[in-house]
Amino acid sequence: MSIGFETLVLYLVLAAAAAWAGERITVPYPVLLVGAGVLLGIWPFTGLPGLSPDVVFLVFLPPLLYYAAFFMSPADLRAHARPIGLLAVGLIVVTTAAVAAVLILLVPGMPLSVAVIAGAVVAPTDPVAASLVLRRLNVPERLQTIIGGEGLINDGAALVLYGAAVAAVVTGGFDPGRTAQLLFLAPAGGAALGFAIAWMLVRLRRHIDVPLAEITISLSTPYLAYLLAEATGLSGVLATVVAGVYVGSQSGSIYEPTTRLQAFAFLEVLVFLLNAILFTLVGVQLARIVHRVPNLSLPHLIAVVTAVVAVVIGTRLAWIFIGPAMARLMHHAPAPATWREGVVVGWSGMRGGVSLAAALALPRRVAGGAPFPYRDLLIVVVGAVIVVTLLLQGMTLPWLLRKLGIGYQQDDAERGARLQAIRAALDHLEECATTDAPDDDVTRLRGLYSARAQRLEHRRSGREPRGGAELGRYRALRLELLHIERTVIAASREKRRIGPEAMRRIQHDLDLEEARLRTL
């Protein structure tokens, strides 16, 4: 795939427009980008490139998985391991089997291995779209962990089934040794390799205090884990995910504060742009595969596509409530959840670029030179599942969260953490006041921190706490002073009293101070 300069500029414009529109109409920007890609794909005057599976697996997938895993807490993943396992492994197997059964029933003559390929391709959820909605609406941390953890792990589980089924179709037989390697050795070995790579890089980075070098190592980590795992026949997906989780858990010890600010800002922009390009390319490719008409009549094709989409969505909704019940019967019950949370998890099963890339990566011919059976039909079915789940579920998920009263609950946890930190600071100020004679600095800081604590304690009730007005005046005055400082710095730069680097450092400090003030 080659992307010209004009195409790249077009993608950047679309990304900015989608981010702007998504915030205003409460629609996830991936949905808008897929729609824009579909329009570009059917527009006759745009020569946009197609979506190469190699590009998705080698360029897009590693950093996106790594970034999503980076902010996953190992403790949270362990605490919710059972529901995540039920979704990321149990649901993958059940969905694969259900889709395979439907295809065998509706498409006479379809081999079981081909039907399993279709099921494995549409089984994994997209790790990006649902997470964006949930994070923006501040849903409970439990839901974010379960849905995010599922999206990270189920790709690996589905691709293992996919690889075993493709090998069976291509070779024309079942290889027990190869299948065992794909099902057991590849996932475990990939996870172990990812941990080993991350462990070594974390220890290396503790001796590096150059921001540009640290950011470069951070960017190369997912690619290193993924490529080394794939080169040794292991699971690159699980290697990348494990590396991201471990490095993220150690970020407090490997980043200096200023380096962390730069690295996170860079990664956030990079991941946003990769997502924007990927989802636009998905839309372009979906518009093109519509013209692939397999050897089925149009009514028959519509019936097959409709049945598969219904099975994919219905199986997930049913498994959300059946799976935990089965686990309880086996004395492995997951943590209890409300039915409202179950509905949200069930409706968060959007599919995306990984599913389409896996379908497009199917070989065109099997051993012996014969065409790969039902390849075009599989691509059309996968494309339909992606379109329906992204548009239907992606656009209605915010509405569903509001209807069920789920959202904005994370504010309580954040408020509690801030309050705990402020009280610790106040305790330290009290120690300073008792060991030494309290001076004006201690008195002023005590008043400021006390006002912050009162404001946090009373924010839920909507009442203005004592000291809140003083804090508001302090913040407004401090913001005015920062504006004055910026004006003076800009004038100094215009008169060439300071250089551009000095101005950048001063602006950085002023921006940090303003960002802190706006959280008061």
Side-chain angles (χ1 to χ4, degrees), residues 395-409:
M395 295 183 68
T396 58
L397 188 55
W399 172 85
L400 181 65
L401 288 169
R402 289 193 297 270
K403 270 295 187 184
L404 296 177
I406 297 178
Y408 304 98
Q409 299 180 26

Side-chain angles (χ1 to χ4, degrees), residues 21-232:
E23 288 294 328
R24 282 154 179 76
I25 61 177
T26 65
V27 173
Y29 74 80
V31 175
L32 300 178
L33 288 170
V34 169
V38 170
L39 294 178
L40 291 175
I42 63 178
W43 186 252
F45 303 106
T46 55
L48 296 180
L51 183 64
S52 168
D54 292 337
V55 170
V56 174
F57 287 131
L58 297 179
V59 177
F60 291 94
L61 191 59
L64 294 179
L65 289 174
Y66 180 83
Y67 181 79
F70 191 90
F71 297 100
M72 284 287 176
S73 165
D76 290 342
L77 291 174
R78 286 193 298 268
H80 303 298
R82 289 176 179 172
I84 291 175
L86 283 172
L87 292 170
V89 179
L91 181 57
I92 289 293
V93 174
V94 171
T95 302
T96 301
V99 172
V102 168
L103 288 176
I104 291 175
L105 179 65
L106 296 181
V107 184
M110 175 175 286
L112 174 61
S113 53
V114 175
V116 169
I117 291 173
V121 170
V122 299
T125 57
D126 182 78
V128 176
S131 297
L132 290 172
V133 178
L134 300 177
R135 188 164 55 245
R136 185 178 64 198
L137 296 180
N138 291 325
V139 302
E141 190 70 25
R142 167 192 167 85
L143 286 183
Q144 295 191 41
T145 301
I146 292 175
I147 295 173
E150 175 203 3
L152 291 173
I153 299 173
N154 63 12
D155 284 334
L159 291 177
V160 164
L161 294 175
Y162 166 85
V166 170
V169 174
V170 171
T171 60
F174 177 75
D175 184 351
R178 175 62 175 166
T179 302
Q181 178 186 3
L182 288 172
L183 293 178
F184 302 105
L185 179 60
L193 179 61
F195 177 80
I197 292 173
W199 185 87
M200 289 186 292
L201 290 178
V202 164
R203 271 134 194 86
L204 172 64
R205 290 173 60 178
R206 284 176 178 163
H207 301 284
I208 299 175
D209 57 357
V210 180
L212 292 179
E214 287 199 68
I215 294 173
T216 302
I217 294 175
S218 178
L219 178 61
S220 63
T221 299
Y223 292 107
L224 181 63
Y226 186 87
L227 292 175
L228 285 180
E230 291 293 320
T232 54

Side-chain angles (χ1 to χ4, degrees), residues 211-280:
L212 292 179
E214 287 199 68
I215 294 173
T216 302
I217 294 175
S218 178
L219 178 61
S220 63
T221 299
Y223 292 107
L224 181 63
Y226 186 87
L227 292 175
L228 285 180
E230 291 293 320
T232 54
L234 303 176
S235 173
V237 170
L238 291 178
T240 306
V241 168
V242 171
V245 171
Y246 181 75
V247 175
S249 68
Q250 304 296 316
S251 62
S253 62
I254 61 178
Y255 281 116
E256 292 293 329
T258 54
T259 303
R260 182 162 48 244
L261 287 170
Q262 296 177 45
F264 286 3
F266 170 78
L267 286 174
E268 187 172 359
V269 173
L270 174 66
V271 169
F272 168 72
L273 293 178
L274 288 174
N275 277 322
I277 296 174
L278 175 61
F279 280 104
T280 305

Side-chain angles (χ1 to χ4, degrees), residues 418-431 449:
R418 289 180 182 272
L419 189 58
Q420 184 178 7
I422 289 174
R423 285 172 175 167
L426 281 171
D427 291 341
H428 181 70
L429 286 175
E430 292 297 332
E431 293 178 5
Y449 273 81

Side-chain angles (χ1 to χ4, degrees), residues 348-520:
S348 301
M350 290 168 276
R351 273 62 177 177
V354 174
S355 294
L356 186 61
L360 295 174
L362 290 172
R364 295 186 178 276
R365 298 193 176 274
V366 301
F372 194 97
Y374 297 97
R375 184 178 187 274
D376 288 342
L377 174 61
L378 296 188
I379 294 176
V380 171
V381 168
V382 172
V385 172
I386 294 173
V387 169
V388 173
T389 55
L390 272 178
L391 296 181
L392 176 63
Q393 295 177 311
M395 295 183 68
T396 58
L397 188 55
W399 172 85
L400 181 65
L401 288 169
R402 289 193 297 270
K403 270 295 187 184
L404 296 177
I406 297 178
Y408 304 98
Q409 299 180 26
Q410 185 61 20
D411 287 349
D412 292 337
E414 180 179 340
R415 187 182 302 114
R418 289 180 182 272
L419 189 58
Q420 184 178 7
I422 289 174
R423 285 172 175 167
L426 281 171
D427 291 341
H428 181 70
L429 286 175
E430 292 297 332
E431 293 178 5
C432 293
T434 55
T435 55
D436 301 316
D439 55 19
D440 292 340
D441 291 334
V442 171
T443 302
R444 283 195 298 268
L445 286 171
R446 184 191 294 161
L448 175 61
Y449 273 81
S450 297
R452 288 184 188 173
Q454 292 176 15
R455 195 174 190 87
L456 288 171
E457 290 170 343
H458 290 78
R459 185 171 291 175
R460 177 180 295 178
S461 64
R463 294 182 289 109
E464 183 71 21
R466 290 180 302 170
E470 289 79 0
L471 179 60
R473 287 195 296 271
Y474 168 85
R475 179 171 54 184
L477 182 58
R478 187 70 184 96
L479 290 174
E480 290 179 13
L481 296 177
L482 288 174
H483 176 71
I484 294 173
E485 290 184 66
R486 286 195 179 92
T487 303
V488 173
I489 295 302
S492 298
R493 175 66 187 121
E494 289 179 0
K495 297 176 182 178
R496 297 185 178 179
R497 294 176 181 171
I498 58 174
E501 285 300 314
M503 181 176 179
R504 184 186 63 82
R505 287 193 296 268
I506 296 173
Q507 284 181 329
H508 179 263
D509 293 340
L510 295 177
D511 290 343
L512 288 178
E513 175 66 15
E514 179 168 343
R516 187 188 66 81
L517 285 169
R518 293 191 181 278
T519 63
L520 295 179

